[in-house]
Amino acid sequence: MQELLPPSERGFAPLPGDAPVRGLRRTAASEEPPPAATAAAATAAASAIALPPEELARSRTAAWVRRTLSPLGLRFCPYTASAEVSGSGLESFGVRPAPIAYAHSEAGSVASLLVDFWAAACGMAEGGEEGVSSIVLSAPSWDDRRGGVVSVTVHPLLLF
């Protein structure tokens, strides 16, 4: 495909192995990885796919938290210190940083999704304030393909 593009626009590289989806990203010409780096990324992606679904989901979700929420990434959440700890910066309000719990749901119905959510929430409550600070629940069956069911039906049920 790169041969079809003008030389100034040929900079593509595989997404990192911990990316939530396989694909390409655009790079600057000076950023193009050497062939060995491309092969290493492909090998890492292939080995990640061999993980059991829950481990793969946790790994990819933690990578997303690292890239988007933490200070190492886009910093969308000022209270996320890393992919492992959140609640940072709230100590003056009596909140101590604690681990992030990752939960995964293969639920195909709203009822099953709520059961998985409440199981994670109960686990958080049982651990007390210092046990878990946040829950990140991945539910791959509940993406945009459901036509807004999540934003209209599920989110209001979870945001009590």
Side-chain angles (χ1 to χ4, degrees), residues 18 20 58-77 80-86 100-102 134-137:
D18 64 353
R58 191 221 181 276
S59 171
R60 288 180 172 175
T61 305
W64 175 82
V65 167
R66 191 175 306 108
R67 284 191 315 273
T68 59
L69 302 180
S70 82
L72 300 174
L74 297 173
R75 301 177 189 213
F76 284 164
C77 179
T80 301
S82 68
E84 291 78 35
V85 176
S86 71
I100 296 172
Y102 289 91
S134 303
I135 300 169
V136 180
L137 174 66

Side-chain angles (χ1 to χ4, degrees), residues 36-58:
T38 303
T43 302
S47 64
I49 293 169
L51 291 173
E54 280 197 30
E55 287 181 40
L56 181 60
R58 191 221 181 276

